[in-house]
């Protein structure tokens, strides 16, 4: 009993979708700034560079700080 294998039938070549850079750029800038703020809170929110008083933020991101290799204690 022979099995038939489906063969591709499309004859037109695949064309990659066009990505408008003007629509993507604002989101890229937004997420870039968001990541920099997150990196600040994980890596530098401690001691003299601290924006928030107390140890709350430091303790909250403490595991991420050690995971990323930032000096801590
Ligand atoms: Zn630590």
């Amino acid at each position: 009993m022979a099995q038939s294998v489906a063969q591709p039938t499309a004859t037109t070549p695949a064309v990659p979708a066009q990505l408008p850079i003007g629509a993507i750029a604002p989101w890229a800038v937004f997420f870039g700034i968001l990541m920099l703020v997150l990196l600040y809170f994980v890596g530098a929110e401690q001691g003299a560079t601290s924006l928030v008083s107390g140890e709350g933020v430091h303790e909250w991101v403490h595991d991420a700080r050690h995971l990323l290799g930032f000096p801590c204690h």
Side-chain angles (χ1 to χ4, degrees):
M1 188 179 328
Q3 293 181 345
S4 65
V5 177
Q7 298 294 321
T9 58
T11 57
T12 58
V15 178
Q18 299 286 325
L19 296 176
I21 193 69
I24 295 173
W27 289 102
V29 170
F30 172 72
F31 282 109
I33 291 172
L34 198 63
M35 291 300 108
L36 286 176
V37 169
L38 182 65
L39 186 64
Y40 166 77
F41 277 110
V42 170
E45 174 65 20
Q46 182 181 15
T49 61
S50 180
L51 293 177
V52 181
S53 63
E55 291 288 320
V57 174
H58 175 80
E59 293 299 325
W60 204 67
V61 297
H62 192 241
D63 290 343
R65 178 183 301 255
H66 282 277
L67 180 69
L68 295 175
F70 285 101
C72 184
H73 50 84

